[in-house]
Amino acid sequence: MSLSAYATAQIERFTLQRWTAGVIGLGYVGLPLAITAHNRGLDVIGYDVSEAKVAELNAGISRIEDVTNDELAAAVASGVEFTTDANALKDADALFIAVPSPLGVNRHPDMRFIEAAANTVASIARHGQLIALESTTYPGTTEEYLLPAITQAGLVLDENVFVAFSPERVDPGNVLHTQDIPKVVGGVTPTSTAVATAAYQRLVANVHPVSSAKAAELTKLLENTYRAVNIALVNELAQVAHAFGIDIWEVIDAAATKPFGFQAFYPGPGVGGHCIPLDPQFLAWRARHLNVPTRFIDLAEDVNLAMPEYVITRLATLLHEHDIALPNARVFGVGVAYKRNIADERESPAMDVLRGLAARGVHIDVHDPHVANDSIKRHGFVPHDDVTGAKDADVTVILTDHDCIDYATLVASSRLVFDTRGVLRRRGIDASHIHRL
Ligand code: SAJ
């Protein structure tokens, strides 16, 4: 592929010179990206529409677990600029868009944030910039939203501006940081791929270019659909194993001894977070427009969304076996975050279980050391700062297996335990009053 002199010059600039990274959206993806760019020696302008968030960031207060206050304060002290003034982005050589891409009504993609970011680009984009979308979305989004934006800005693709997609791969609570995670990059043209690859190579150690923005968009959806489908598989097998009187946890551990061709996934109360339950729906929604079936995605969603009710049914049966009716029973819920060792409750299946129990007249006490008591109260549950609150409950249900929980004391304080995460077995804690998925 022959590159224009202009594109070659931009590649050299991104490769050899100090340049300014502009990050649009300072959440769990954008803020780590901004700090990474700073740590890699680039100038950084962070833009967000939230005045409160920008004020906190400039004061060195991080709400993102993967960015410490000290890291943030050091970045601000050495010149990283957080602002709500989009015009500041005119000084950026590359714009990285990391805004939310949630589902809206009927679990259809809510493109408002990407649309707003595209409007920002239309108002500030200038000659020489790379514009890279990172928000998880359906194949075709980058062309559909960013090409009109650069046209509106009076720019011409590959002549004086470059456009690409590069999926974020943040795993909240994981020790891997942005610069250590390989990055897939796909330009809307081969020239844009080349320029985007050069820019990203300054941010991360390992860049994997693909042939188009659509290929990059679908890569991300494959990654997360793969997880959603495999989690649904073990969630269904957990129900099958229970019907057979088999311990699914033992079976998964046994299968995991296979040194090739098997990756262990584990059953749970459902699938939470802002990625796995949502991202596959972007693909399913777009595929429907093309009359292409996505039966695995649809079935995985059905199985995963039904898990909270399955947990409630198992709890009702367990209580009934001990002559306790669900209505007016007391349940001690352990863990409301959507996965271990984080505070995020978005789309948390633990919340679905507890709300479902409360709707059946169950009194709910909750212990989650990662989630603020005010937040637990807002859901109508009674927060407990330690596990001894279990002693007043008819059953303890473990919904999120945070590492910091004192499981030995929890079990000793409980009349009955229902473990939806297999954490007690993992910890070698067994007793006749412990039951699990
Ligand atoms: N879960 C299970 N069983 C499993 C694994 C997960 O029930 O075997 C549940 C979790 O408890 C959680 C949900 O599924 O409720 C999602 O879990 P997750 O581990 O996929 O965590 P996320 O959504 O925070 O992060 C994922 C990333 N995770 C990993 O790669 C391990 C990755 O897919 C994406 O980089 C990220 O979403 C994203 O931002 O898309």
Side-chain angles (χ1 to χ4, degrees):
M1 173 192 68
S2 64
L3 289 170
S4 69
Y6 187 80
T8 303
Q10 302 318 314
I11 288 171
E12 283 174 7
R13 185 163 57 89
F14 279 126
T15 305
L16 302 173
Q17 295 173 17
R18 183 181 177 110
W19 45 274
T20 300
V23 179
I24 299 176
L26 299 170
Y28 80 95
V29 173
L31 185 60
L33 186 62
I35 299 301
T36 298
H38 165 68
N39 293 338
R40 304 279 286 191
L42 300 176
D43 293 319
V44 178
I45 299 167
Y47 166 77
D48 199 290
V49 293
S50 164
E51 297 272 358
K53 180 182 290 189
V54 164
E56 280 194 337
L57 292 174
N58 284 323
I61 300 168
S62 166
R63 302 283 181 198
I64 304 295
E65 293 181 55
D66 295 349
V67 175
T68 64
N69 287 349
D70 290 347
E71 274 177 311
L72 177 58
V76 171
S78 51
V80 170
E81 180 193 346
F82 296 111
T83 180
T84 56
D85 176 11
N87 288 310
L89 292 167
K90 290 176 179 173
D91 294 335
D93 298 296
L95 298 176
F96 301 97
I97 303 170
V99 295
S101 51
L103 293 183
V105 178
N106 303 325
R107 293 174 73 76
H108 290 177
D110 177 353
M111 303 304 283
R112 280 176 301 151
F113 300 95
I114 289 179
E115 189 164 17
N119 291 337
T120 298
V121 166
S123 68
I124 53 91
R126 58 150 175 83
H127 279 224
Q129 280 181 331
L130 162 68
I131 297 155
L133 177 62
E134 296 222 345
S135 308
T136 303
T137 185
Y138 60 81
T141 302
T142 304
E143 283 95 332
E144 285 173 29
Y145 282 86
L146 290 185
L147 293 188
I150 62 167
T151 303
Q152 255 184 277
L155 300 168
V156 179
L157 178 65
D158 288 354
E159 275 188 30
N160 48 37
V161 72
F162 306 93
V163 176
F165 183 83
S166 177
E168 53 87 3
R169 276 178 172 170
V170 174
D171 182 20
N174 192 325
V175 294
L176 273 179
H177 288 290
T178 302
Q179 67 267 19
D180 304 320
I181 301 172
K183 206 91 168 64
V184 169
V185 176
V188 294
T189 62
T191 294
S192 282
T193 300
V195 174
T197 299
Y200 272 104
Q201 282 169 336
R202 292 291 291 280
L203 296 179
V204 300
N206 179 345
V207 176
H208 181 87
V210 291
S211 62
S212 67
K214 284 184 179 178
E217 288 160 338
L218 186 56
T219 298
K220 174 68 178 179
L221 296 177
L222 169 59
E223 289 169 14
N224 284 0
T225 300
Y226 161 78
R227 294 184 67 71
V229 168
N230 279 285
I231 294 165
L233 172 63
V234 288
N235 279 335
E236 180 171 84
L237 283 183
Q239 299 172 62
V240 171
H242 177 65
F244 276 86
I246 298 170
D247 182 344
I248 186 63
W249 307 93
E250 175 192 19
V251 168
I252 292 168
D253 285 352
T257 61
K258 183 180 179 188
F260 49 83
F262 180 81
Q263 180 185 358
F265 286 85
Y266 298 93
V271 171
H274 36 278
C275 312
I276 306 308
L278 308 182
D279 297 347
Q281 298 312 311
F282 275 82
L283 186 56
W285 175 80
R286 194 59 169 186
R288 280 194 292 276
H289 286 68
L290 305 176
N291 292 321
V292 176
T294 55
R295 285 165 292 174
F296 276 99
I297 293 175
D298 302 341
L299 179 58
E301 184 182 46
D302 291 348
V303 171
N304 289 332
L305 285 178
M307 284 311 285
E309 275 304 312
Y310 174 71
V311 168
I312 291 169
T313 303
R314 289 286 304 276
L315 269 174
T317 305
L318 180 62
L319 287 169
H320 178 70
E321 289 165 355
H322 291 79
D323 300 323
I324 300 168
L326 207 50
N328 302 316
R330 295 182 67 92
V331 167
F332 191 72
V334 174
V336 291
Y338 78 82
K339 73 172 184 179
R340 63 171 163 255
N341 305 334
I342 62 169
D344 198 338
E345 312 146 52
R346 278 176 293 186
E347 308 280 328
S348 174
M351 281 299 181
D352 295 332
V353 172
L354 295 175
R355 278 195 286 263
L357 289 170
R360 289 164 171 81
V362 174
H363 175 85
I364 310 279
D365 292 84
V366 169
H367 171 68
D368 188 320
H370 283 270
V371 176
N373 286 351
D374 288 348
S375 181
I376 291 170
K377 283 179 191 161
R378 268 200 302 277
H379 290 284
F381 307 140
V382 177
H384 285 254
D385 291 332
D386 62 54
V387 296
T388 54
K391 66 187 183 313
D392 300 324
D394 298 306
V395 61
T396 290
V397 58
I398 299 173
L399 294 164
T400 309
D401 48 340
H402 296 307
D403 290 341
C404 63
I405 288 171
D406 178 355
Y407 290 104
T409 304
L410 176 68
V411 169
S413 308
S414 302
R415 296 191 184 93
L416 275 174
V417 181
F418 188 64
D419 180 0
T420 72
R421 295 291 192 170
V423 60
L424 300 178
R425 179 177 178 279
R426 243 187 0 256
R427 299 271 183 119
I429 299 174
D430 201 2
S432 59
H433 65 301
I434 296 174
H435 305 261
R436 51 179 170 266
L437 270 184

